[in-house]
Structures are given as C-alpha cells and as structure tokens.
Amino acid sequence: MKIVIIGSGVAGLTAGAYLAQAGHEVTILEQNQRPGGVTAPFERDGYRWDLGQLLVEGLGPDEPLGLVLADLGVANQVRLVKDDRGYVFPDFAIKNPKDYQGIDWRMKQLAQRFPEDRQGLARYWRDYLRFTRLMTFARRADNTAGLENTYWKIRLYLSLLPFLRRLKWNAQQFMDSYFSTRQLQCVFISILADFFTPPSQFPGLGVFTLNAEASFEKRVPKIIAPGAETLYHYSFLGGISTLVDALAGKIEQFGGQILTEKPVTRIQVQDGRVQGVVVGKDQQYPADVVIASGGAKETFLKLVGETLLPDEFIQKVKQQPLMDSVFMVHLGLDFDPSEYVHGPVTYFYGTYDLEDAIIEASQGIYHGGEKGFVVHIPSLHSPEMAPGDHHAMTIYTICPDHLAEGNWQERKEAYADQLIGCAERYIPGLSQHVHTCHILSPEEFRKITHLEHHAFGGLAPKMNTPRVPHQTPIQGLWFVGAQSESGGGVNSVIPAAWKVAKRIASA
C-alpha cells in the first residue's frame, strides 16, 4: 500500500517504522525543518534541551514501550537510564534515602509526618499493591492469545472486584477516602497540574497509575508483591531526540521517506474514501491510506472539512478537552546545580490548593511559577548536552494557552525573570550563573506545532469526555498522536500508533 503520514512526531514515526518494515511505501510529510515535532531537540549556543516529556515509563525490555521499540528494531539504538523524580512542597520535601530502605519507604516517611493519616496510608498501600497486580494482569492479557489470554482476563476481572464500587469516583473523592489532610492528598495528586485536570475531574483509580513507586525510587525491585510487577521510569541519554533519530533511520532503511517543510493543506476524499493529500497549493501525494497526527480540529475541520464527516463525529472533535500550554525557560549554566535538586527531574510546588490553581489557569490567569514549576537538568546524566563543564537546565510551568489580559509576546521576558526567581529560592545564586537563556512561551509552541491552541500533552484525562477514534468515518483515514490519547505522553502515543499500524497492515 501507498501510505502518507501527516506529521513526524513520535506517533507518526512509530506508525511509519512499522509499516515500512512491513513492506509498504511510506511517505511522512513534516511541516517543520526537521522531524520529531515536540520531541525534536531545542539547540542553541552549544546546549541541547528537550521540549517534551522528561521521564518515560515502561521502556525496559519486558515493559510495554520497550516491547514496541524491540518490535520496531530500534531498542538497541537508544541508551537509557532508570530515573526517579523528587517532590518539594511549601513546607516539606519527599527525598529518597541515601541507603535503600525498601519499597514502602515513602509510606513510612509520610506516616511520620502525618501520623493522623497513618491508617489511611496503610490502606492506600494495600490498594496500591492490588492495583499494581491488576495492571500486571492487564498487560499480560494484552500480550497473549487463546486460552492463556482467557486465563489472564479472568485474573484481571477478579483483581478488579475490590475496586468496583469506586470505578466512578474522581481523584478528590479517592483522596478523601484515604487522607484527612490536604497536604498529604497533594502528595498523590499534585502531578495532575501537568495534565491541566482538576482532581474533581480526574478518574480516581488513575491516582495509582500516577504514583508508581518506581517513579520516586528507582531501586525498588521489579516484583513488589506476589503477581505485582512495577514499571520503571527512564531518561534517554542524549535526550529523547535520539529516539526520533532511531525511528527516522528505520523508516529510511526500509525505503520510506521523510520530507520536511511540507505543510499539508488538504486531505483529499472522494466517495467517502481517502485519496491522498495536497501540500501547499497543488502538490499532490496520492495514497491508499493517510495517517494524520497533530490537532484534531486542524485535521478534521480544516484539512478534511465538516461537510464530509458525520455530525456526531464532528461534535466529538469540537468537544475534546484539551490541556493548556507551558511556559518554558531553557538555561545554559556555568555551574553544577546538582546539590540543590533531586537528580535530573524535580517538581517544586507552591500551593496545596490544586483544584483552584488549575481552574484559574484554565481561565487565562498565569501564576508566574509561584504555584509550582519543574526543573529538568538532562546534562547531569548526558554531559554532551552542554559544552565543557556547563549544564543545560529547563524550568517550566503550566500556563494558559492565551492570557486573560495582555499577550505572551509582550510579557515573556518579565515572566522568564519571575520563573528564574522562583527557582532561585531553591537553587541559590542561579541567576548569576546563567550563560544563555531562551524562552518558549505558548506563542512559540503554537508556531512549532502549527496549532491554534497549544496543548502540552494533548488531551486532558477528564472523566466522561469524548475522544476521537483512531479509525475515522473516512475509509483509509486514521488519526494518531497526543490528541487521540487521554493524557498523551510518549508512553501512550507510541503503543497506540503501533497498534494502529498493525491494524492497517493486517487489513
């Protein structure tokens, strides 16, 4: 088959790598100057930073993402290191001990600080182990067939029984059932800010997924309880763009091509079936199959057109709950800040009122970093990402895609100084060691992604909201990427795009 893929983010590259290996004629059209989308690196003055996801879950050889990369033949082309993240709150921090103290060290540390919730922590830990076992069975069911598949599905169902009455609970209800103090609740749900999803709108059981103990302590064993296997978090040595390079190389190895600076202006449809795409004014690329990644509204309302799609489908596209954006400052430093942070990734929170902070941001009110930010220092494990003995640091925080008052272009310099100032409270003298500084506001991200609304991570994982299906009403037209997966992220979009490619190849 002749296959055209719109967009060279990791979803498009994953689908392209699989289909090229399967013998199909693959052409990827990228509107920017280099492939990768938001997983392409940002490079200036000898420094290199990542724009997208910082830690990626499940890249081990027997883990979901690792199995996909192995199937694509690129697992041995990327270098990985297990990583964990640190959390700093207004009046305490969660730090893993220098000497390993077991898989439940975090529960013990929290019980000492919040003795009134000691029993709730014990119940949470029991349920966390149960949920980890449930997810282990789900992965095994997903990777087996026949009688073995039936066996794992039965075990999956039995593991789900203790959670049935809480399936429709939101994250705030979930936290209220365990803990009485807002500070302790925030330990488990603060990362929802990254998803632009208030606790009252996030599915409760998802809290366990966001709190994999291996993400706080990389030394935990693979099996944390009978039948319960944890997934680790990883950093790409050299940056996540090394994965982009590996996937692009695989596509070209099997005769596929990636064409840059090729903005698609129309998806051609005739009699309900895709015919190909048009680039620019009239450059045509005929295709049997078109796989679109990127913005759902841009793809279906503009490139296809509403008149060619069912009303029900159009409503799903229009009602998708998108995340908002991030304000990101890339710094080149002439000193080593490692003594002030928890390895490459540290989350700093300035408020315990998560619900109101997220709602305010969705209303166009930017907190300037006062309510939280993240510090990422990839050069701590990838020294090649900074010159000499310097370091590459990224500070970012969630923010509205559009401000309620003013605009990003006129305010970004002042906001960058404010964000650096927030980080300097924890990293003394930071502003005195800045060798280079580059600012990416939502306006710059909209230019990179060519979207009217920049959604960092794609779809917000809110309860009871529609999602655009991968297989569209147009025969031969498929949709992948961050806006096709709730919660987005590399560990969601790559397996999904891989499964879509397998469906196309087997049709």
Side-chain angles (χ1 to χ4, degrees):
M1 288 186 291
K2 184 175 290 187
I3 297 171
V4 168
I5 299 174
I6 303 172
S8 67
V10 290
L13 292 173
T14 295
Y18 184 90
L19 291 165
Q21 287 186 91
H24 300 288
E25 184 181 336
V26 173
T27 299
I28 297 182
L29 302 174
E30 169 57 49
Q31 53 200 347
N32 293 317
Q33 294 180 343
R34 65 186 301 169
V38 291
T39 47
F42 186 81
E43 301 176 77
R44 294 289 189 280
D45 306 327
Y47 298 90
R48 190 163 78 251
W49 305 269
D50 283 332
L51 299 182
Q53 194 166 348
L54 307 181
L55 296 182
V56 180
E57 184 184 44
L59 282 163
D62 60 343
E63 296 177 340
L65 204 52
L67 293 173
V68 174
L69 298 188
D71 186 62
L72 298 176
V74 299
N76 62 348
Q77 296 179 37
V78 292
R79 296 179 301 137
L80 305 169
V81 60
K82 286 182 184 177
D83 257 334
D84 45 33
R85 60 197 186 212
Y87 275 31
V88 178
F89 293 98
D91 53 356
F92 72 100
I94 300 177
K95 296 182 179 180
N96 53 6
K98 182 178 179 180
D99 296 322
Y100 178 62
Q101 294 183 10
I103 58 176
D104 60 346
W105 70 266
R106 197 166 66 113
M107 300 301 112
K108 294 175 182 176
Q109 193 176 107
L110 291 170
Q112 289 180 347
R113 181 163 191 90
F114 302 99
E116 67 274 27
D117 279 322
R118 188 179 297 273
Q119 290 185 352
L121 284 163
R123 287 189 292 108
Y124 171 88
W125 181 250
R126 178 200 63 197
D127 287 345
Y128 170 74
L129 295 179
R130 286 175 172 173
F131 186 81
T132 304
R133 186 177 296 113
L134 183 155
M135 295 303 294
T136 302
F137 297 158
R139 290 193 297 271
R140 291 178 180 174
D142 196 41
N143 293 319
T144 55
L147 290 176
E148 188 177 3
N149 176 263
T150 302
Y151 170 78
W152 289 117
K153 283 185 175 179
I154 291 172
R155 296 203 66 180
L156 171 63
Y157 174 75
L158 294 175
S159 298
L160 184 62
L161 292 177
F163 300 109
L164 285 180
R165 69 180 182 87
R166 292 180 281 175
L167 283 179
K168 296 183 179 181
W169 285 14
N170 62 46
Q172 189 57 61
Q173 291 172 306
F174 217 65
M175 288 292 93
D176 289 340
S177 73
Y178 290 115
F179 313 124
S180 61
T181 57
R182 176 176 288 185
Q183 289 91 335
L184 182 54
Q185 292 181 358
C186 211
V187 168
F188 294 91
I189 58 176
S190 54
I191 202 168
L192 290 181
D194 270 16
F195 298 117
F196 258 92
T197 303
S200 64
Q201 299 177 39
F202 184 79
L205 283 177
V207 172
F208 292 131
T209 303
L210 298 179
N211 283 274
E213 288 305 310
S215 69
F216 301 95
E217 173 58 271
K218 60 188 177 184
R219 295 172 293 185
V220 302
K222 182 70 174 175
I223 300 175
I224 59 174
E229 295 183 0
T230 192
L231 299 180
Y232 294 102
H233 284 65
Y234 301 82
S235 289
F236 286 90
L237 295 180
I240 198 171
S241 61
T242 60
L243 176 61
V244 171
D245 295 339
L247 291 170
K250 187 60 61 173
I251 291 167
E252 292 168 351
Q253 176 187 340
F254 285 92
Q257 55 181 344
I258 302 172
L259 306 179
T260 57
E261 298 183 274
K262 296 289 185 180
V264 173
T265 53
R266 189 167 77 255
I267 295 174
Q268 296 175 304
V269 178
Q270 183 177 335
D271 298 328
R273 181 172 182 83
V274 75
Q275 302 295 308
V277 305
V278 176
V279 169
K281 291 185 178 179
D282 55 10
Q283 189 175 11
Q284 298 190 19
Y285 289 82
D288 301 303
V289 171
V290 172
I291 304 174
S293 63
K297 290 181 179 178
E298 286 77 5
T299 296
F300 299 108
L301 305 187
K302 294 183 177 180
L303 299 186
V304 175
E306 293 188 42
T307 58
L308 298 176
L309 292 161
D311 290 342
E312 182 180 356
F313 183 85
I314 291 296
Q315 288 306 310
K316 284 185 178 180
V317 171
K318 292 181 177 180
Q319 293 172 9
Q320 283 196 119
L322 295 178
M323 299 184 198
D324 265 72
S325 190
V326 290
F327 186 79
M328 189 173 280
V329 179
H330 294 308
L331 303 177
L333 305 177
D334 63 6
F335 86 122
D336 184 351
S338 58
E339 67 174 295
Y340 305 111
V341 295
H342 176 96
V345 181
T346 310
Y347 287 76
F348 295 90
Y349 292 98
T351 180
Y352 293 115
D353 192 354
L354 189 63
E355 182 90 9
D356 286 350
I358 296 172
I359 291 174
E360 279 188 2
S362 68
Q363 295 171 344
I365 302 170
Y366 176 49
H367 59 83
E370 295 293 335
K371 294 187 178 180
F373 58 90
V374 181
V375 169
H376 182 224
I377 313 175
S379 53
L380 289 179
H381 54 50
S382 299
E384 68 271 24
M385 297 182 75
D389 58 354
H390 287 208
H391 281 279
M393 173 189 282
T394 296
I395 311 172
Y396 83 82
T397 184
I398 68 164
C399 68
D401 183 57
H402 288 83
L403 293 169
E405 297 181 6
N407 63 70
W408 285 110
Q409 191 60 32
E410 66 186 20
R411 295 190 174 193
K412 69 177 187 178
E413 298 289 343
Y415 281 148
D417 290 341
Q418 183 180 4
L419 187 57
I420 293 171
C422 289
E424 196 164 27
R425 297 171 190 169
Y426 302 92
I427 307 173
L430 174 63
S431 62
Q432 305 303 312
H433 293 279
V434 176
H435 185 264
T436 187
C437 174
H438 295 278
I439 307 165
L440 291 177
S441 73
E443 187 168 322
E444 279 76 35
F445 275 109
R446 286 196 294 272
K447 292 176 182 177
I448 293 170
T449 59
H450 299 260
L451 300 176
E452 292 183 1
H453 177 104
H454 176 243
F456 182 71
L459 288 184
K462 296 180 179 179
M463 302 173 70
N464 304 316
T465 51
R467 182 178 65 82
V468 175
H470 296 121
Q471 188 171 14
T472 76
I474 304 295
Q475 190 175 357
L477 177 61
W478 298 75
F479 185 59
V480 298
Q483 291 197 19
S484 71
E485 310 303 321
S486 181
V490 172
N491 50 293
S492 294
V493 301
I494 285 183
W498 174 68
K499 290 177 181 179
V500 165
K502 291 179 70 175
R503 290 174 64 185
I504 293 170
S506 62

